């Protein structure tokens, strides 16, 4: 169904789809998208050498079952609900919330249940690490801040635009924003976590409680928790926002843009590029019992996802999916890949402060604007001059030179480690001559450096 709808629109525009990505291009793209890191050279070589016709489907299933997939997606969702811009002090400890998401994703738990519990559960951080999203500097975030973030993340709407006045382009009114915000009106900070105190007078008039889109206020018992009711409404199959927002956000992760773009602005005046496709994917997502892996598998198996991005002239319409859309690696993906390539051990790796500093200084575009190459000069200089990276590169070059592999095999190993492809014959010939002229250690250090600072490495093909 995905390809039928994509191809139908291509015919309407009289556009010919690009061919399929070759195995190296596909596998690197898939590995980075699913696991947030380049594949190791052994798995890349094994995939390239596999002649079975179903190897792409098997690779998708294998990566979906891997711990790297759960960790990568957990990091993505943690960043959405608790943005890294909050700073290092606000995010310590970071791992508990990531581990919470990781456990849900690894078990492939129903996504409606995951989001329900994320919104509804409060208590001690030790038992409910997902509740960290409610605080900043150990102080509660305001109901207004929480409403804006949660509506963008899980409903795909920028409800904050109706905080001070009725939305100019959507049907949202001020009472819609404050109706949702009222659900966060009774939470309070405790010594070890956060709680919803049903005996506490709400900071926002409880009479304003309103589910988004409802014409009348919600009638709730004041003795009950408000957040469980908000969570229950948010993930209900009849909710017109949740399933579409999750499908659209997932689609954007794999294609660089949503069927509705920006992905958090799903309003009447911002129509989907493929409305029938969005409707059907949302319907099937609900029918699958909100199975995120099933949705991901369908997207990655599609011809649209597997099209090449190489050597295809742009048609000026990115939303036709005529060809694969190359995207720059995120700062997190860059760090994870460098760590894998140069075998930087966790004990000697980037600490949380270094990681956050690198990521925040490297952010140059909103998440949905991932079709442009953003590795500017300052970004590249940071990568090139990180002491941990330069020391690891030098050590790896020394080990590479001390190995017993023939020069050609060594060069192939370096290409598979970084670009997930084998070098072309002319590349091998030129680099072999360089090794003979400059000496192994010097030449290999220069090649490692050139490969990981190349545009080809920095872009998700």
């Amino acid at each position: 169904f995905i390809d039928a709808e994509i191809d139908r629109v291509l015919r309407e525009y009289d556009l010919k789809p690009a061919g399929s990505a070759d195995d190296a291009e596909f596998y690197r793209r898939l590995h980075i998208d699913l696991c947030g890191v380049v594949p190791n050279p052994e798995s890349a070589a094994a995939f390239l050498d596999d002649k079975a016709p179903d190897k792409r489907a098997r690779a998708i299933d294998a990566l979906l079952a891997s711990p790297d997939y759960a960790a990568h997606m957990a990091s993505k969702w943690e960043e959405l609900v608790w943005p890294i811009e909050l700073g290092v002090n606000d995010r310590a400890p970071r791992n508990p919330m990531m581990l919470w998401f990781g456990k849900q994703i690894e078990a492939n738990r129903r996504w409606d249940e995951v989001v329900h519990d994320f919104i509804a559960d409060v208590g001690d951080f030790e038992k409910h690490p997902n509740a960290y999203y409610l605080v900043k500097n150990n102080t509660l975030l305001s109901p207004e801040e929480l409403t804006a973030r949660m509506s963008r993340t899980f409903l795909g709407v920028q409800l904050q635009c109706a905080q001070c006045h009725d939305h100019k382009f959507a049907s949202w009114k001020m009472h819609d924003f404050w109706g949702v915000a009222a659900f966060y009106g009774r939470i309070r900070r405790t010594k070890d976590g956060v709680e919803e105190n049903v005996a506490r007078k709400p900071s926002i008039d409880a009479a304003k409680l309103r589910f988004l889109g409802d014409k009348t206020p919600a009638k709730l018992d004041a003795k009950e928790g408000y957040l469980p009711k908000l969570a229950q409404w948010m993930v209900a199959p009849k909710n017109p926002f949740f399933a579409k927002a999750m499908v659209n956000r997932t689609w954007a992760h794999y294609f660089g843009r949503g069927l509705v773009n920006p992905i958090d602005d799903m309003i009447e005046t911002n129509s989907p590029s493929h409305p029938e496709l969005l409707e059907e994917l949302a319907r099937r997502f609900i029918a699958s019992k909100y199975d995120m892996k099933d949705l991901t598998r369908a997207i990655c198996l599609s011809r649209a996802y597997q099209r090449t991005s190489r050597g295809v002239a742009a048609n000026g319409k990115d939303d036709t999916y005529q060809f694969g859309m190359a995207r720059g690696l995120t700062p997190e993906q860059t760090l994870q890949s460098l760590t894998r390539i140069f075998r930087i051990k966790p004990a000697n790796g980037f600490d949380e402060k270094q990681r956050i500093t690198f990521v925040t200084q490297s952010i140059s575009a909103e998440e949905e604007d991932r079709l442009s190459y953003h590795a500017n000069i300052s970004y590249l200089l940071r990568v090139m001059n990180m002491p941990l990276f330069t020391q690891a590169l030098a050590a790896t070059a020394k080990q590479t030179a001390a190995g017993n592999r023939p020069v050609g095999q060594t060069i192939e190993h370096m290409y598979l480690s970084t670009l997930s492809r084998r070098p072309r014959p002319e590349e091998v010939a030129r680099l072999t001559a360089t090794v003979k002229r400059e000496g192994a250690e010097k030449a290999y250090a220069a090649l490692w450096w050139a490969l990981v600072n190349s545009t080809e490495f920095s872009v998700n093909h």
Side-chain angles (χ1 to χ4, degrees), residues 3 44 66 95 116-117 150 179-180 224 237 239 248 336 338 350 353 363 367 381-382 409 413:
D3 287 315
S66 72
N95 285 336
H116 176 279
D117 290 355
M150 293 303 102
V180 176
E224 297 180 347
N239 185 311
N248 193 53
Q336 291 294 329
L338 292 176
F350 303 95
K353 186 175 182 180
I363 294 173
E367 180 196 3
L381 285 173
R382 277 194 293 277
Q409 290 182 15
H413 169 79

Side-chain angles (χ1 to χ4, degrees), residues 256-257 261 318 325-334 358-384 453-460:
R257 64 179 297 122
N261 212 59
D318 290 333
M325 291 178 277
R327 291 158 279 147
L329 266 63
T330 67
E332 288 274 14
Q333 290 169 346
T334 300
F358 178 80
V359 171
T360 53
Q361 290 180 352
S362 301
I363 294 173
S364 57
E366 294 298 324
E367 180 196 3
E368 60 266 19
D369 183 21
R370 293 192 61 209
L371 302 184
S372 300
Y373 178 58
H374 294 298
N376 54 38
I377 295 299
S378 61
Y379 174 86
L380 292 174
L381 285 173
R382 277 194 293 277
V383 174
M384 294 176 193
N453 285 290
S454 67
T455 301
E456 186 174 354
F457 174 79
S458 300
V459 172
N460 175 1

Side-chain angles (χ1 to χ4, degrees), residues 143 180-188 196-197 200-204 209 226-227:
V180 176
F183 284 93
Y184 286 102
R186 297 196 301 190
I187 57 174
R188 72 173 184 177
E196 182 179 5
N197 186 353
R200 180 187 180 193
K201 184 179 180 181
S203 59
I204 299 176
L209 286 166
Y226 290 164
L227 290 182

Side-chain angles (χ1 to χ4, degrees), residues 42-60:
E42 293 78 17
S43 68
F47 183 80
L48 295 177
D49 293 337
D50 190 344
K51 304 303 180 184
D54 66 339
K55 69 177 185 178
R56 294 194 177 191
R58 286 189 289 106
I60 293 168

Side-chain angles (χ1 to χ4, degrees), residues 308-324:
T308 185
S309 63
R310 298 174 184 269
V312 181
N315 57 39
K317 290 187 68 64
D318 290 333
D319 59 1
T320 58
Y321 306 99
Q322 181 188 12
F323 50 87

Side-chain angles (χ1 to χ4, degrees), residues 283-336:
R283 186 192 70 77
R284 296 190 185 200
F285 183 48
I286 296 171
S288 73
K289 298 181 180 179
Y290 301 90
D291 189 329
M292 274 291 195
K293 287 188 178 181
D294 183 68
L295 174 61
T296 297
R297 185 180 296 106
I299 290 173
C300 293
L301 281 170
S302 70
R303 292 192 305 272
Y305 177 77
Q306 296 188 28
R307 287 188 179 123
T308 185
S309 63
R310 298 174 184 269
V312 181
N315 57 39
K317 290 187 68 64
D318 290 333
D319 59 1
T320 58
Y321 306 99
Q322 181 188 12
F323 50 87
M325 291 178 277
R327 291 158 279 147
L329 266 63
T330 67
E332 288 274 14
Q333 290 169 346
T334 300
L335 287 182
Q336 291 294 329

